Amino acid sequence: MTEKLVFNKGAIIHEPGSTMKYKTGDWRTFKPSIDNSKCIKCGKCWMNCPDAAIRKTKEGFFEIDYDFCKGCLICEKECPVKCITHTVEEK
């Protein structure tokens, strides 16, 4: 009897909506933070975050979910008033 090898192909979603199970922010090098005193609530950080790691609060400001933020700093680059800055992640 010959054994058949089975290889999983990449980029296949076996369980839709499962990304919330996998906290991907653990390997971040840079940690962005938002200064709400400078924020104009434009939402550009939220719109451009490739990991959907930024969410809007009840007050209309934005906060970063560090469980999923990978530290790409796109939010910092896109902020028109420069209210997002970063530090080196300390673990």
Side-chain angles (χ1 to χ4, degrees), residues 32 44-45 47-51 54 71-79 84:
K44 288 187 178 186
C45 57
M47 287 186 286
N48 288 288
C49 179
D51 298 308
I54 298 176
C72 68
L73 303 179
I74 291 173
C75 56
E76 181 179 21
K77 290 174 182 64
E78 293 298 323
C79 180
I84 302 174

Side-chain angles (χ1 to χ4, degrees), residues 29-79:
T29 301
F30 299 109
K31 184 177 182 180
S33 61
I34 302 171
D35 181 352
N36 286 342
S37 69
K38 295 179 183 177
C39 180
I40 59 172
K41 303 177 183 179
C42 67
K44 288 187 178 186
C45 57
W46 171 77
M47 287 186 286
N48 288 288
C49 179
D51 298 308
I54 298 176
R55 60 178 164 249
K56 194 171 189 176
T57 66
K58 290 179 184 177
E59 297 81 25
F61 291 106
F62 294 87
E63 64 184 10
I64 300 168
D65 185 343
Y66 294 111
D67 284 338
F68 300 98
C69 172
K70 294 184 180 103
C72 68
L73 303 179
I74 291 173
C75 56
E76 181 179 21
K77 290 174 182 64
E78 293 298 323
C79 180

Side-chain angles (χ1 to χ4, degrees), residues 4-5 23 25 50 52 82:
K4 184 177 180 181
L5 296 175
K23 296 182 179 180
K82 306 301 178 204

Side-chain angles (χ1 to χ4, degrees), residues 1 8-9 20 24 31 39 43 47 60 68 75-77 80 86 88 90:
M1 176 193 264
N8 290 330
K9 294 180 182 178
M20 294 302 290
T24 55
K31 184 177 182 180
C39 180
M47 287 186 286
F68 300 98
C75 56
E76 181 179 21
K77 290 174 182 64
H86 71 275
V88 175
E90 295 178 21

